[in-house]
Amino acid sequence: MTTAPAIELRTFSTLDTARGDLLDVYAEVRAPLLHLPNYAVTAFGERLDRHGTEPGFTAVLAYAGEHPVGYAYSNTIKHGDRYWQRTSPTPAEKYTARPAVALKEIGVRPAWRKTGTARRIHDTLLATCDEPLVTLMVNAAAGDGKVHALYKSWGYEDIGQSQPSPASPVLTVMIRAIR
Protein backbone atom coordinates (compact mmCIF):
# COMPACT_ATOMS: atom_id res chain seq x y z
CA MET A 1 0.00 0.00 0.00
CA THR A 2 1.29 3.43 -0.90
CA THR A 3 0.81 6.50 1.26
CA ALA A 4 -2.60 8.05 0.67
CA PRO A 5 -2.59 11.59 -0.69
CA ALA A 6 -4.65 14.08 1.28
CA ILE A 7 -8.36 13.45 0.98
CA GLU A 8 -11.43 14.86 2.67
CA LEU A 9 -14.19 12.46 3.70
CA ARG A 10 -17.73 13.84 3.52
CA THR A 11 -20.79 12.09 4.94
CA PHE A 12 -24.26 12.44 3.39
CA SER A 13 -27.64 11.25 4.68
CA THR A 14 -29.52 12.12 1.47
CA LEU A 15 -28.78 11.88 -2.23
CA ASP A 16 -29.53 15.56 -2.88
CA THR A 17 -25.94 16.75 -3.23
CA ALA A 18 -24.09 13.43 -3.50
CA ARG A 19 -25.90 11.67 -6.38
CA GLY A 20 -23.91 13.19 -9.26
CA ASP A 21 -20.57 12.47 -7.60
CA LEU A 22 -21.63 8.90 -6.78
CA LEU A 23 -22.58 8.27 -10.42
CA ASP A 24 -19.36 9.88 -11.65
CA VAL A 25 -17.08 7.73 -9.49
CA TYR A 26 -19.15 4.59 -10.14
CA ALA A 27 -18.76 5.01 -13.91
CA GLU A 28 -14.97 4.97 -13.63
CA VAL A 29 -14.78 2.27 -10.94
CA ARG A 30 -17.00 -0.13 -12.92
CA ALA A 31 -15.83 0.93 -16.42
CA PRO A 32 -14.75 -2.60 -17.49
CA LEU A 33 -18.23 -3.95 -16.62
CA LEU A 34 -20.52 -1.18 -17.84
CA HIS A 35 -21.53 -3.20 -20.91
CA LEU A 36 -23.27 -5.74 -18.62
CA PRO A 37 -26.90 -4.82 -17.81
CA ASN A 38 -26.49 -5.13 -14.01
CA TYR A 39 -23.45 -2.81 -14.01
CA ALA A 40 -24.73 -0.14 -16.42
CA VAL A 41 -24.70 3.37 -14.95
CA THR A 42 -28.48 3.59 -15.48
CA ALA A 43 -29.02 0.37 -13.49
CA PHE A 44 -26.76 1.67 -10.72
CA GLY A 45 -28.65 4.98 -10.73
CA GLU A 46 -31.96 3.14 -10.29
CA ARG A 47 -30.57 1.10 -7.38
CA LEU A 48 -29.02 4.20 -5.86
CA ASP A 49 -32.31 6.12 -6.05
CA ARG A 50 -34.15 3.22 -4.38
CA HIS A 51 -31.49 2.80 -1.68
CA GLY A 52 -31.45 6.55 -1.07
CA THR A 53 -35.05 6.37 0.16
CA GLU A 54 -34.52 3.38 2.45
CA PRO A 55 -34.01 3.63 6.23
CA GLY A 56 -30.57 4.59 7.46
CA PHE A 57 -29.18 5.68 4.08
CA THR A 58 -25.66 7.03 4.56
CA ALA A 59 -22.97 7.75 1.98
CA VAL A 60 -19.34 8.67 2.49
CA LEU A 61 -17.40 10.19 -0.39
CA ALA A 62 -13.68 10.87 -0.52
CA TYR A 63 -12.54 14.04 -2.26
CA ALA A 64 -9.14 15.21 -3.46
CA GLY A 65 -9.85 18.91 -3.58
CA GLU A 66 -13.30 19.00 -5.19
CA HIS A 67 -12.71 15.83 -7.23
CA PRO A 68 -14.55 12.74 -5.88
CA VAL A 69 -12.21 9.74 -5.78
CA GLY A 70 -14.17 7.09 -3.88
CA TYR A 71 -17.42 6.28 -2.14
CA ALA A 72 -19.38 3.84 -0.04
CA TYR A 73 -23.01 3.83 0.94
CA SER A 74 -25.27 1.75 3.14
CA ASN A 75 -28.74 1.25 4.57
CA THR A 76 -30.16 -0.29 7.70
CA ILE A 77 -31.80 -3.70 7.27
CA LYS A 78 -34.02 -5.49 9.76
CA HIS A 79 -35.20 -9.02 10.41
CA GLY A 80 -37.29 -10.16 7.43
CA ASP A 81 -35.71 -7.67 5.01
CA ARG A 82 -35.53 -8.84 1.38
CA TYR A 83 -31.74 -8.74 1.76
CA TRP A 84 -31.95 -11.64 4.21
CA GLN A 85 -34.77 -13.38 2.31
CA ARG A 86 -32.56 -13.65 -0.80
CA THR A 87 -29.60 -15.06 1.16
CA SER A 88 -29.07 -18.81 0.99
CA PRO A 89 -28.75 -20.67 3.20
CA THR A 90 -31.00 -18.72 5.53
CA PRO A 91 -28.65 -16.72 7.77
CA ALA A 92 -28.46 -17.64 11.44
CA GLU A 93 -30.74 -15.73 13.80
CA LYS A 94 -27.68 -14.21 15.49
CA TYR A 95 -27.16 -12.19 12.29
CA THR A 96 -30.75 -11.26 11.49
CA ALA A 97 -32.44 -10.77 14.88
CA ARG A 98 -31.27 -7.15 15.26
CA PRO A 99 -30.94 -4.36 12.71
CA ALA A 100 -27.71 -4.47 10.69
CA VAL A 101 -25.98 -2.22 8.22
CA ALA A 102 -25.97 -3.38 4.60
CA LEU A 103 -22.96 -1.93 2.81
CA LYS A 104 -24.46 -1.65 -0.66
CA GLU A 105 -21.52 -0.27 -2.64
CA ILE A 106 -17.92 0.72 -2.18
CA GLY A 107 -15.58 1.87 -4.90
CA VAL A 108 -12.39 3.82 -5.44
CA ARG A 109 -11.09 5.23 -8.71
CA PRO A 110 -8.19 3.12 -10.08
CA ALA A 111 -5.59 5.83 -9.46
CA TRP A 112 -6.54 5.83 -5.76
CA ARG A 113 -6.48 2.09 -5.16
CA LYS A 114 -3.89 0.62 -2.79
CA THR A 115 -3.64 3.93 -0.92
CA GLY A 116 -5.86 2.99 2.04
CA THR A 117 -8.66 5.20 0.70
CA ALA A 118 -11.23 2.38 0.52
CA ARG A 119 -10.55 1.37 4.11
CA ARG A 120 -10.80 4.97 5.32
CA ILE A 121 -14.14 5.40 3.54
CA HIS A 122 -15.38 2.07 4.93
CA ASP A 123 -14.34 2.84 8.49
CA THR A 124 -15.77 6.38 8.36
CA LEU A 125 -19.11 5.00 7.15
CA LEU A 126 -19.23 2.40 9.92
CA ALA A 127 -18.36 5.03 12.55
CA THR A 128 -21.76 6.62 11.83
CA CYS A 129 -23.64 3.40 12.64
CA ASP A 130 -25.29 2.23 15.85
CA GLU A 131 -26.01 -1.29 14.57
CA PRO A 132 -23.83 -4.16 15.83
CA LEU A 133 -23.20 -5.85 12.46
CA VAL A 134 -22.37 -4.90 8.89
CA THR A 135 -23.02 -7.13 5.90
CA LEU A 136 -22.07 -6.85 2.25
CA MET A 137 -22.21 -8.84 -0.97
CA VAL A 138 -19.20 -9.43 -3.20
CA ASN A 139 -18.59 -11.21 -6.48
CA ALA A 140 -16.03 -13.59 -4.99
CA ALA A 141 -14.76 -14.65 -8.43
CA ALA A 142 -14.20 -11.14 -9.77
CA GLY A 143 -10.66 -9.84 -9.99
CA ASP A 144 -9.23 -13.25 -9.18
CA GLY A 145 -10.87 -13.05 -5.76
CA LYS A 146 -8.78 -10.08 -4.61
CA VAL A 147 -11.73 -8.01 -3.38
CA HIS A 148 -13.18 -10.99 -1.52
CA ALA A 149 -9.79 -11.57 0.11
CA LEU A 150 -9.56 -7.87 1.01
CA TYR A 151 -12.92 -8.02 2.82
CA LYS A 152 -11.77 -11.13 4.68
CA SER A 153 -8.67 -9.20 5.79
CA TRP A 154 -11.05 -6.51 7.14
CA GLY A 155 -12.74 -9.13 9.35
CA TYR A 156 -15.69 -10.18 7.18
CA GLU A 157 -16.72 -13.83 6.99
CA ASP A 158 -18.80 -15.65 4.39
CA ILE A 159 -22.33 -16.62 5.48
CA GLY A 160 -24.10 -17.46 2.22
CA GLN A 161 -24.90 -16.46 -1.31
CA SER A 162 -27.43 -14.19 -2.97
CA GLN A 163 -28.54 -13.19 -6.43
CA PRO A 164 -30.20 -9.80 -5.86
CA SER A 165 -31.66 -9.63 -9.39
CA PRO A 166 -31.84 -11.87 -12.46
CA ALA A 167 -29.14 -9.71 -14.13
CA SER A 168 -26.82 -9.92 -11.12
CA PRO A 169 -24.15 -12.57 -10.71
CA VAL A 170 -24.41 -14.85 -7.70
CA LEU A 171 -22.72 -12.96 -4.87
CA THR A 172 -21.11 -14.07 -1.63
CA VAL A 173 -22.79 -12.57 1.46
CA MET A 174 -20.30 -11.56 4.14
CA ILE A 175 -20.72 -10.17 7.67
CA ARG A 176 -18.68 -8.81 10.57
CA ALA A 177 -19.12 -6.93 13.83
CA ILE A 178 -18.92 -3.15 13.50
CA ARG A 179 -17.05 -2.70 16.77
Side-chain angles (χ1 to χ4, degrees):
M1 180 167 58
T2 60
T3 303
I7 59 169
E8 176 189 357
L9 298 173
R10 301 178 195 168
T11 302
F12 302 87
S13 58
T14 68
L15 281 176
D16 297 342
T17 56
R19 188 178 191 278
D21 287 346
L22 284 161
L23 290 171
D24 183 45
V25 178
Y26 175 88
E28 186 174 342
V29 168
R30 304 285 186 242
L33 302 171
L34 295 179
H35 66 284
L36 300 171
N38 185 62
Y39 293 98
V41 174
T42 54
F44 172 70
E46 291 168 3
R47 285 191 304 273
L48 179 62
D49 291 342
R50 184 179 67 248
H51 296 153
T53 64
E54 293 176 349
F57 175 82
T58 303
V60 173
L61 283 96
Y63 290 85
E66 289 304 310
H67 182 69
V69 299
Y71 70 93
Y73 77 86
S74 66
N75 293 95
T76 302
I77 57 172
K78 296 182 179 178
H79 184 75
D81 188 276
R82 64 192 162 116
Y83 185 100
W84 295 128
Q85 292 172 5
R86 294 185 304 223
T87 302
S88 178
T90 301
E93 188 78 15
K94 68 180 181 178
Y95 300 130
T96 65
R98 297 176 289 168
V101 173
L103 179 59
K104 301 289 179 96
E105 280 275 344
I106 186 168
V108 175
R109 292 182 191 267
W112 288 80
R113 293 180 185 156
K114 299 185 186 207
T115 65
T117 300
R119 184 65 189 254
R120 288 184 59 199
I121 293 168
H122 172 272
D123 292 352
T124 298
L125 179 68
L126 295 186
T128 70
C129 302
D130 294 326
E131 295 81 5
L133 300 170
V134 57
T135 181
L136 58 79
M137 295 182 193
V138 62
N139 185 341
D144 296 328
K146 290 178 184 173
V147 175
H148 184 234
L150 177 67
Y151 292 145
K152 283 189 169 199
S153 77
W154 291 358
Y156 286 88
E157 64 180 89
D158 298 351
I159 61 165
Q161 293 186 321
S162 181
Q163 187 173 14
S165 73
S168 169
V170 174
L171 304 172
T172 299
V173 180
M174 303 181 82
I175 200 161
R176 64 162 259 201
I178 290 180
R179 290 170 196 31

